[in-house]
DNA sequence: CGATTCCCCTGATAGC
DNA sequence: TGCTATCAGGGGAATC
């Protein structure tokens, strides 16, 4: 599922192709992903607009368009944005097709239909629900050991829960959370405020390392994730715990365990990530 | 404050 | 063969 490294990869794969292009038309095959405006008005509103820029914030993609518009996209579980030739056969789950001035198409496909589109005035961007509540960008200078330590002090819930909370740190999902905690040698159910100073430093390092590594490998294609060119990522080859229940830990050989945290399947090594 | 449950949705898989 | 149950989960809302 697209988390920060995957969304960043989509952004990078699309930016060179979309910027400067004009949207000539929009075809809607399924409108359920469009939150704003009314899907009936979306085509009219977006036609003739030009892509000026693409940014990522947490797991959101923000397309800046001409005439002070912003298109905010969240891929959720299975959303895909593809830049393809108009002649390329359409996937069964293609819901939106933006025809571009270069004869290509930007297509949105989403097997589970959870993704969201918001086309809004640029001025409303800072108030957009979800986006506005996002916490710190973990790959920015704001994400420091000091900040992390301070933030965790009053968190009386599991550390995995905190990592998944988008209003605290933006962009970490289930896969990277498990990999980060494994890398840091921290049990996912450890109460956040009980982490030692040493563990906080480990956690901070692991977070930065794993997210960067994920981007380097162009994301994790564990289900249907692909980038804007339809290319799969490579990070799934490097996962050490996620999806590996029962397999030997690469560090110590103990079988990887699985439990539930916050309703999410949670993988960890019971030996390398001891419960405190 | 935090934990839990439900909901949105479809496909893969297991059990009968 | 084909049916049904279960699981996967990001995020928001409702409930305890």
């Amino acid at each position: 599922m697209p988390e920060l490294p995957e969304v960043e990869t989509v952004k990078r794969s699309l930016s060179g192709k979309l910027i400067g292009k004009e949207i000539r038309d929009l075809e809607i095959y399924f409108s359920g992903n469009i939150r704003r405006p009314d899907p009936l008005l979306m085509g009219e509103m977006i036609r003739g607009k030009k892509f000026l820029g693409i940014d990522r914030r947490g797991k959101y993609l923000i397309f800046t368009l001409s005439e002070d518009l912003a298109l905010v996209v969240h891929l959720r579980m299975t959303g895909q944005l593809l830049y393809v030739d108009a002649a390329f056969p359409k996937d069964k789950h293609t819901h939106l097709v933006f025809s571009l001035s270069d004869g290509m198409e930007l297509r949105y496909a989403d097997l589970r239909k959870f993704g969201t589109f918001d086309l809004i005035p640029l001025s409303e961007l800072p108030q957009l629900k979800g986006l506005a509540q996002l916490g710190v960008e973990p790959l920015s200078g704001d994400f420091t050991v000091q900040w992390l330590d301070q933030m965790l002090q009053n968190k009386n819930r599991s550390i995995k829960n905190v990592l998944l909370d988008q209003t605290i740190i933006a962009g970490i999902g289930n896969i990277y959370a498990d990999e980060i905690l494994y890398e840091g040698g921290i049990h996912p159910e450890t109460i956040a405020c009980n982490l030692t100073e040493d563990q906080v430093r480990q956690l901070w390092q692991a977070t930065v390392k794993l997210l960067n590594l994920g981007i380097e490998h162009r994301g994790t294609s564990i289900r249907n994730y692909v980038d804007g060119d339809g290319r799969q990522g490579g990070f799934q080859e490097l996962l050490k715990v996620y999806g590996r229940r029962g397999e030997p830990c690469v560090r110590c050989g103990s079988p990887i365990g699985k439990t539930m945290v916050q309703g999410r399947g949670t993988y960890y090594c019971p030996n390398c990530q001891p419960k405190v």
Side-chain angles (χ1 to χ4, degrees):
Chain A
M1 54 235 86
E3 305 179 27
L4 188 154
E6 290 74 35
V7 179
E8 179 65 24
T9 304
V10 172
K11 181 195 116 175
R12 292 181 185 184
S13 64
L14 288 178
S15 63
K17 287 152 184 163
L18 291 186
I19 292 175
K21 306 290 166 60
E22 183 189 314
I23 298 167
R24 289 276 163 81
D25 201 10
L26 168 62
E27 287 170 84
I28 302 178
Y29 296 94
F30 170 77
S31 63
N33 300 100
I34 302 174
R35 296 199 300 195
R36 292 180 58 189
D38 185 309
L40 293 170
L41 303 175
M42 181 119 167
E44 193 182 338
M45 197 167 156
I46 209 166
R47 213 167 286 137
K49 306 301 184 289
K50 216 177 248 184
F51 284 101
L52 299 183
I54 309 180
D55 294 299
R56 180 195 56 73
R57 178 80 172 92
K59 301 176 198 170
Y60 288 84
L61 281 169
I62 303 168
F63 299 88
T64 314
L65 305 178
S66 53
E67 297 181 47
D68 292 324
L69 288 173
L71 178 65
V72 182
V73 180
H74 197 303
L75 303 172
R76 296 290 175 101
M77 308 291 303
T78 52
Q80 301 175 332
L81 278 171
L82 297 166
Y83 175 84
V84 291
D85 192 282
F88 191 76
K90 279 189 194 66
D91 174 82
K92 175 183 169 187
H93 304 289
T94 300
H95 305 321
L96 303 173
V97 177
F98 301 84
S99 306
L100 306 172
S101 49
D102 60 358
M104 302 288 278
E105 290 178 348
L106 178 67
R107 295 183 189 168
Y108 181 69
D110 189 350
L111 188 151
R112 290 190 190 156
K113 302 180 173 173
F114 287 171
T116 61
F117 280 68
D118 287 274
L119 178 61
I120 57 172
L122 205 52
S123 60
E124 292 180 31
L125 203 51
Q127 287 87 248
L128 186 68
K129 202 166 175 185
L131 187 64
Q133 282 75 32
L134 288 180
V136 69
E137 276 294 324
L139 296 183
S140 77
D142 296 337
F143 184 66
T144 61
V145 184
Q146 292 75 21
W147 176 87
L148 186 62
D149 189 52
Q150 179 85 17
M151 180 275 289
L152 291 174
Q153 275 178 24
N154 64 348
K155 297 294 182 292
N156 193 24
R157 47 182 166 140
S158 75
I159 185 60
K160 173 152 179 183
N161 193 304
V162 172
L163 289 182
L164 291 177
D165 189 333
Q166 302 301 301
T167 69
I168 301 175
I169 303 171
I172 299 174
N174 203 38
I175 296 174
Y176 289 92
D178 283 3
E179 295 297 318
I180 288 166
L181 290 169
Y182 173 79
E183 177 72 20
I186 298 163
H187 191 284
E189 290 174 301
T190 310
I191 299 302
C193 60
N194 290 344
L195 290 179
T196 65
E197 208 173 309
D198 203 48
Q199 285 180 312
V200 174
R201 196 175 315 107
Q202 293 290 331
L203 180 64
W204 176 80
Q205 272 182 2
T207 301
V208 174
K209 176 177 167 180
L210 268 290
L211 292 176
N212 276 319
L213 207 53
I215 293 172
E216 240 175 79
H217 291 267
R218 302 177 15 269
T220 305
S221 290
I222 205 148
R223 289 197 177 78
N224 74 335
Y225 164 75
V226 289
D227 71 7
D229 299 313
R231 281 179 82 195
Q232 294 201 333
F235 196 60
Q236 63 280 5
E237 310 292 337
L238 300 176
L239 297 179
K240 293 184 174 156
V241 286
Y242 185 85
R244 297 193 175 276
R245 171 162 57 173
E247 294 179 33
C249 167
V250 293
R251 203 180 286 160
C252 77
S254 308
I256 298 302
K258 185 184 180 190
T259 177
M260 285 295 241
V261 176
Q262 201 187 317
R264 308 269 184 264
T266 298
Y267 301 87
Y268 65 104
C269 171
N271 184 48
C272 298
Q273 299 164 266
K275 205 164 179 172
V276 196

